[in-house]
Amino acid sequence: MWFLTLLVWCCYIFLFCFGSFCLTCGLYYLAEIIEEYTRLAGTVIRYTLYAVCGIHVLMLFFEDFPASHVIFGLLAHATYFLLLGLFPYIELSDPRFIASCVMALLDHCLWFRYFTLNYYDFGEILSFFVCCVWLIPFGFFISLSANENTLPTLGSDGTSLSNAARSTEKKSVNRLLSFFSFMRQQKAGLLPEVTGSNTVKNELN
């Protein structure tokens, strides 16, 4: 009996590691797509914000969630709209970014406490958090990688940002994406290049 239990836990650990690896690879390639199509990414985030705010409004009429919680969620997403004025170059020290992080954390804690005190199915809780709490902050988090490809911009006083300030911001972003870069190096070392293999086959033929 103990052997079967041990086997089950080993399978759980394997599935967790495999799922984490797949999620990491997916996040890395999604960050690369956002780096290449920055304008499109900003448009997608903007219309996703509209959709999430619409979901909050519909919940006021069709669900029995507390109105104060839903309104606070709308206020949190209103702060995310302020970040679109900075997109794609989001300064980590900007008050708008700090306010968005604080509102995202408070919104998460508020809804987590509500669902802890009130029973809902796990699928309903997960769907709510993914669509109404995590989706927009997650999109902005991945978009931080686009900072490295933006051109120098002008500050509020009309002068260009200093190289030292931009270097500091890039270092902060690189820390967030360091694991993605590590996965890219591992992929290049372990997986053979398709074009190279095709060239060798053509030479042999």
Side-chain angles (χ1 to χ4, degrees), residues 27-146:
L27 290 177
Y28 172 76
Y29 284 109
L30 186 59
E32 279 194 337
I33 293 174
I34 292 177
E35 288 180 2
E36 188 170 354
Y37 303 99
T38 305
R39 186 182 299 274
L40 178 61
T43 303
V44 170
I45 292 177
R46 180 181 298 275
Y47 284 102
T48 305
L49 263 172
Y50 292 150
V52 174
C53 290
I55 292 174
H56 278 77
V57 173
L58 291 176
M59 286 183 177
L60 286 174
F61 297 99
F62 299 106
E63 295 294 335
D64 56 351
F65 292 133
S68 58
H69 290 53
V70 178
I71 293 175
F72 186 86
L74 284 172
L75 292 176
H77 285 78
T79 59
Y80 303 153
F81 273 107
L82 299 177
L83 290 179
L84 291 175
L86 303 174
F87 192 86
Y89 184 68
I90 301 176
E91 299 180 16
L92 303 184
S93 59
D94 191 280
R96 287 170 288 186
F97 178 79
I98 297 175
S100 298
C101 292
V102 172
M103 291 297 290
L105 180 61
L106 292 177
D107 190 35
H108 173 86
C109 294
L110 188 66
W111 284 110
F112 182 81
R113 184 174 182 275
Y114 172 77
F115 284 113
T116 302
L117 300 177
N118 300 273
Y119 175 76
Y120 285 88
D121 291 337
F122 177 75
E124 295 175 344
I125 298 175
L126 182 62
S127 299
F128 180 87
F129 272 94
V130 170
C131 296
C132 300
V133 180
W134 296 336
L135 183 60
I136 301 301
F138 180 74
F140 277 112
F141 172 77
I142 297 178
S143 300
L144 289 175
S145 61

